[in-house]
Amino acid sequence: MSNGTSDADLFDSYDDRDDEGEAGSVEEHKSVIMHLLSQVRLGMDLTKVVLPTFILERRSLLEMYADFFAHPDLFVSISDQKDARDRMVQVVKWYLSAFHAGRRGSVAKKPYNPILGEIFQCHWTLPNDTEDNTELVSEGPVPGVSKNSVTFVAEQVSHHPPISAFYAECFNKKIQFNAHIWTKSKFLGMSIGVHNIGQGCVSCLDHDEHYILTFPNGYGRSILTVPWVELGGECNINCSKTGYSANIVFHTKPFYGGKKHRITAEIFSPNDKKSFCSIEGEWNGVMYAKYATGENAVFIDTKKLPIIKKKVRKLEDQNDLWKDVTFNLKIRDIDAATEAKHRLEERQRAEARERKEKEIQWETRLFHEDGECWVYDEPLLKRLGAAKH
């Protein structure tokens, strides 16, 4: 970055791919889906089933996880709150705003299953942040960008079971997030369920607070007609230092009647059985908060929140394993996309066989296992601690 190149020279704004206007393709390929359904049984684990290429979204699951930070301003403002209660409310606000951006297009599509060792990096420039004359980070997920930016990296750390680890930080706000998710897919008849096993942790370093959170499950519904995605399940956010906690329920639509995409949430003070804030609404629409004081307010209106586009190193400067699949999906050459995907998967199998024969353990590049979690090797907390000493 020191050779006078600007941000625009090195990074692409990466969110301009439009997956709308593809509803027809599902009808066209119904016979392929029928063939796929003939291979599966109820409750069957889908990890080993090869899905037809046309139902793929043109990006990897690792990139989809980056959409948790489509509102980086909400994320960094957690550390701006003056007291623990407000910080917990802001964590909940960021968390509930983090799901709608990942679902683009009205037709549900499936991101690529990441290849073992695959890495995705990006960053966001915050609104009101001019990157001129700002100090640059020298380490972390994306070295060489402004210290005001939110930087992100994800790595596929395991293939069986499929586990992705990801990490984000903002240097100047002294905030970081570390997570791992193991996706377990099951065939449920007319829908596909994805159980997201794992957890995330928001760390406010100035306050030495860690907020542990869990993720909802995902469901691909109406897979024979126009598929749509819904989230379901109970999630929790807990901060052991302050004692504040939140309980969030993603409600699946009842078979008859009822609304789609409903959430309810409660935020609790330490040792309180009764919540001080109740939230309800839709995770991809408007959510309203009702406080114990009697005050009612709009908590989040996702339709009015500007999505900040992530910046990714230009394609020629990064090792994008999926570029041939993505290109062919874009020009609607399904056969070529399928062939490119097959080559990738075959290479992955061959490498796994070779490791098995030579009894070589796979080594991750940026994350390591710590108990049941996967942790980024060089988090901000560790780097700041080293700088002090």
Side-chain angles (χ1 to χ4, degrees):
M1 294 294 283
S2 56
N3 58 2
T5 52
S6 73
D7 204 44
D9 296 331
L10 278 168
F11 297 98
D12 277 332
S13 190
Y14 207 57
D15 288 339
D16 302 327
R17 290 156 300 169
D18 182 16
D19 273 340
E20 283 286 9
E22 298 188 11
S25 62
V26 178
E27 285 297 324
E28 290 162 38
H29 296 282
K30 197 179 261 191
S31 61
V32 186
I33 294 199
M34 292 309 282
H35 171 69
L36 171 75
L37 293 182
S38 70
Q39 304 173 53
V40 297
R41 297 179 310 281
L42 273 179
M44 181 175 170
D45 179 357
L46 289 183
T47 335
K48 301 202 169 52
V49 176
V50 178
L51 291 170
T53 309
F54 74 89
I55 63 172
L56 293 176
E57 195 174 330
R58 296 197 296 266
R59 57 188 190 147
S60 169
L61 184 63
L62 296 186
E63 183 187 339
M64 197 178 109
Y65 289 142
D67 285 334
F68 276 114
F69 300 92
H71 304 297
D73 44 341
L74 291 184
F75 174 65
V76 301
S77 65
I78 294 167
S79 61
D80 291 338
Q81 309 306 314
K82 294 289 176 271
D83 64 50
R85 177 180 170 132
D86 291 343
R87 285 192 291 278
M88 176 51 102
V89 170
Q90 192 62 28
V91 169
V92 173
K93 189 171 282 191
W94 163 72
Y95 178 86
L96 287 175
S97 75
F99 295 96
H100 76 103
R103 300 277 27 112
R104 42 169 87 144
S106 54
V107 180
K109 297 224 160 185
K110 181 189 173 303
Y112 312 142
N113 285 333
I115 299 289
L116 181 64
E118 183 181 332
I119 284 172
F120 179 81
Q121 292 161 290
C122 64
H123 74 283
W124 295 262
T125 304
L126 292 170
N128 316 323
D129 179 28
T130 55
E131 296 221 340
D132 316 328
N133 309 322
T134 52
E135 279 188 70
L136 305 181
V137 282
S138 56
E139 300 167 305
V142 187
V145 300
S146 157
K147 284 187 175 179
N148 288 324
S149 295
V150 171
T151 56
F152 173 94
V153 66
E155 177 179 358
Q156 191 68 6
V157 291
S158 168
H159 185 56
H160 289 303
I163 300 173
S164 312
F166 53 101
Y167 171 86
E169 68 176 43
C170 177
F171 186 94
N172 276 353
K173 296 285 188 174
K174 306 291 182 280
I175 187 168
Q176 66 178 46
F177 180 75
N178 193 103
H180 72 282
I181 296 180
W182 163 18
T183 50
K184 214 173 181 179
S185 325
K186 272 212 165 109
F187 177 61
L188 308 168
M190 287 300 103
S191 59
I192 288 169
V194 180
H195 192 26
N196 290 315
I197 302 162
Q199 64 177 40
C201 178
V202 176
S203 298
C204 285
L205 307 185
D206 283 343
H207 304 285
D208 190 27
E209 289 170 1
H210 304 280
Y211 298 80
I212 306 287
L213 54 86
T214 56
F215 302 102
N217 301 320
Y219 299 91
R221 305 291 194 198
S222 313
I223 53 179
L224 279 184
T225 51
V226 178
W228 56 283
V229 166
E230 75 170 337
L231 302 176
E234 189 173 319
C235 302
N236 298 292
I237 304 177
N238 292 294
C239 178
S240 59
K241 182 181 177 185
T242 65
Y244 280 93
S245 66
N247 178 262
I248 296 153
V249 180
F250 291 81
H251 299 269
T252 53
K253 182 186 178 302
F255 199 70
Y256 294 108
K259 282 185 173 169
K260 287 180 181 176
H261 312 309
R262 226 166 57 78
I263 67 103
T264 52
E266 307 277 346
I267 312 178
F268 299 91
S269 297
N271 308 318
D272 261 4
K273 293 276 185 286
K274 200 167 169 13
S275 65
F276 69 83
C277 175
S278 300
I279 300 149
E280 66 173 309
E282 282 105 43
W283 56 263
N284 58 358
V286 186
M287 290 164 257
Y288 300 91
K290 195 174 181 178
Y291 293 90
T293 56
E295 181 202 347
N296 292 346
V298 170
F299 194 62
I300 308 164
D301 184 345
T302 64
K303 302 283 189 271
K304 289 185 179 164
L305 282 178
I307 289 179
I308 294 170
K309 293 185 173 180
K310 55 183 169 289
K311 293 178 180 178
V312 176
R313 207 166 282 284
K314 286 190 184 294
L315 206 52
E316 55 271 24
D317 297 335
Q318 54 162 320
N319 178 22
D320 182 357
L321 298 165
W322 293 100
K323 57 179 179 281
D324 294 342
V325 184
T326 302
F327 172 74
N328 286 304
L329 280 178
K330 191 169 189 174
I331 61 170
R332 307 260 176 124
D333 188 338
I334 300 300
D335 292 342
T338 303
E339 177 54 34
K341 179 171 173 277
H342 180 72
R343 280 198 307 272
L344 255 184
E345 289 164 345
E346 213 26 72
R347 193 180 90 192
Q348 180 165 239
R349 284 188 203 103
E351 288 172 357
R353 278 194 300 272
E354 190 182 341
R355 283 196 303 276
K356 196 173 176 183
E357 283 161 16
K358 295 182 176 173
E359 296 181 351
I360 300 169
Q361 278 288 99
W362 172 261
E363 285 190 18
T364 51
R365 286 164 57 189
L366 302 171
F367 291 81
H368 61 275
E369 218 170 344
D370 184 357
E372 291 190 352
C373 297
W374 284 88
V375 180
Y376 183 57
D377 291 343
E378 297 297 329
L380 190 54
L381 178 65
K382 178 178 168 184
R383 299 190 330 260
L384 292 174
K388 270 184 196 162
H389 299 120

